Amino acid sequence: MLSRRGASVLFILLFSGALAGVVSLANVVMVAGVDAQLVSRWLRHAAIGWLVAFPTAMLIAGPLRRGADALVK
């Protein structure tokens, strides 16, 4: 069983990967269109996006969560 911290990191890992994948697909289709290289181009861009998204999400998740909590209370 994962600890609370481990579960949080796993969530951020999965969420940032999914978001990077969806956004990169949209960008690749808008810029290059749908062609024979779509999947390879998309996977390359998604991997680069994930390398940026995951550490960024790790850095900002705590402050954003605290800010959201402060707005709701």
Side-chain angles (χ1 to χ4, degrees):
M1 190 63 80
L2 286 176
S3 67
R4 187 169 181 83
R5 171 87 173 136
S8 178
V9 171
L10 179 60
F11 172 78
I12 291 171
L13 180 73
L14 296 173
F15 186 79
S16 64
L19 191 58
V22 170
V23 171
S24 65
L25 179 60
N27 284 330
V28 167
V29 169
M30 286 189 309
V31 170
V34 177
D35 60 10
Q37 288 78 37
L38 173 65
V39 173
S40 64
R41 190 178 295 124
W42 168 51
L43 291 175
R44 186 174 63 248
H45 286 84
I48 293 167
W50 201 357
L51 288 173
V52 174
F54 177 65
T56 301
M58 288 296 294
L59 289 172
I60 67 172
L64 287 177
R65 187 174 292 119
R66 288 188 294 276
D69 287 346
L71 289 172
V72 176
K73 290 181 181 177

